[in-house]
Amino acid sequence: MEKVILGRKYNQPFAITGRNVSHEHCELTRDGDIWTIRDLGSRHGTFIQDDKSGKLTPVDETETRIAPFTLICLGGVSVEGCTFYAYNVFFPGVYAPIFTYLSDKQEEFKRKGERMENIARWIKLAVFAANAIVFMVSFLPMNSESRLMLLRFVPLLSTGLAALYDPSMARRRIDEESKRFRYCPNPSCHEILTERAIRLRQCRCMAT
C-alpha cells in the first residue's frame, strides 16, 4: 500500500503553490488496483471529477474510491488551487496513459454527438411525415368532426416531438461536457487542451 499526503508542505512528487491549497490538504492511497482519496479538513475543499458528466464533486474525510485517471482538484479550478490526475501522484511525469484516457473520452463524446444527430434526423422525418399526413387528410372525404380531430392532433404531435428534443441545445451540452475532460496532465499547467493537442498528445507547456 502507498499513501501520499498532498498539500503545499507535503510529499507529493510535484510542487503545489496555490493559495487555496492547505499545507496538509488530502491523502491519496493506492493499494494494488484500489485507489482512494480523503480530505484532511482542508479550508477550500477537495473535489473529484465525475467520469460521466465531468462535474466536480466534493469529498469529505471518509475514504472515497476513485479511478487512476480521476481528476482531482484541490481548492478550486483556478491558479489559486491545483488540478491534476490521480495517476500523476504515483507516476509523476508519465503523461502518455492520461492522454490515452483523454483521447478515449473525446471519442466517446464524438459518438454521443453522432447519436444526437441521428435522433435529430429521425425527428425531422417524423415532423415531415406528420405534416404530410395533415396535407393528405385535407383531401379525404371525411366528416368534419373527424377531420378536425386529425388536423388538430397531428400538428400537435409534430410540435411536441420538436419541442422535446432541441438538437442545438443537446450539442451545446455535449460540447460543454467534453471540455471538462481536457485538463492538461501537467499539474503545474492550467491549460484546457484543444482536440488537436489531445491528438498530438502534447500541451504547449510540454513543447521543447
Side-chain angles (χ1 to χ4, degrees):
M1 178 186 290
E2 296 178 80
K3 286 190 176 184
V4 176
I5 293 177
L6 296 107
R8 281 195 289 163
K9 298 295 183 183
Y10 272 83
N11 62 339
Q12 71 278 341
F14 45 84
I16 296 178
T17 58
R19 290 188 297 179
N20 286 353
V21 181
S22 300
H23 287 182
E24 184 176 325
H25 200 106
C26 73
E27 180 182 76
L28 191 66
T29 302
R30 182 171 75 102
D31 187 2
D33 293 333
I34 299 174
W35 298 55
T36 60
I37 188 171
R38 69 185 183 96
D39 188 74
L40 296 176
S42 64
R43 183 175 182 181
H44 294 282
T46 300
F47 305 85
I48 57 175
Q49 186 182 62
D50 182 273
D51 193 53
K52 292 184 178 179
S53 69
K55 292 182 178 178
L56 295 174
T57 57
V59 297
D60 55 24
E61 296 181 32
T62 305
E63 287 193 345
T64 301
R65 183 92 177 255
I66 60 173
F69 301 113
T70 296
L71 186 77
I72 299 170
C73 181
L74 308 184
V77 183
S78 71
V79 293
E80 302 300 331
C82 186
T83 303
F84 54 92
Y85 296 89
Y87 194 87
N88 290 136
V89 176
F90 297 108
F91 304 97
V94 182
Y95 300 140
I98 302 175
F99 273 111
T100 297
Y101 166 76
L102 296 177
S103 179
D104 289 343
K105 293 301 292 185
Q106 295 308 308
E107 285 298 315
E108 181 182 320
F109 283 110
K110 182 179 178 182
R111 290 192 294 271
K112 280 185 181 180
E114 290 171 351
R115 287 196 297 270
M116 177 271 296
E117 289 171 0
N118 286 334
I119 292 171
R121 280 195 290 269
W122 278 108
I123 289 176
K124 285 181 180 179
L125 183 61
V127 171
F128 174 80
N131 290 327
I133 291 171
V134 171
F135 179 75
M136 289 186 291
V137 163
S138 66
F139 292 98
L140 293 177
M142 301 172 65
N143 64 58
S144 59
E145 186 176 339
S146 299
R147 187 191 301 272
L148 183 61
M149 286 182 64
L150 278 171
L151 291 177
R152 284 177 175 174
F153 174 74
V154 176
L156 181 64
L157 177 64
S158 64
T159 303
L161 283 172
L164 284 172
Y165 188 77
D166 183 345
S168 61
M169 185 178 293
R171 168 59 72 182
R172 284 196 298 272
R173 186 177 66 252
I174 290 172
D175 289 343
E176 192 62 36
E177 290 176 358
S178 170
K179 289 177 184 177
R180 294 175 186 154
F181 291 90
R182 295 186 190 174
Y183 286 95
C184 176
N186 180 0
S188 301
C189 181
H190 296 277
E191 285 279 334
I192 299 297
L193 301 173
T194 63
E195 291 185 18
R196 183 174 182 274
I198 292 174
R199 285 197 306 271
L200 296 176
R201 295 171 176 258
Q202 188 177 63
C203 176
R204 288 189 300 179
C205 71
M206 301 171 188
T208 56

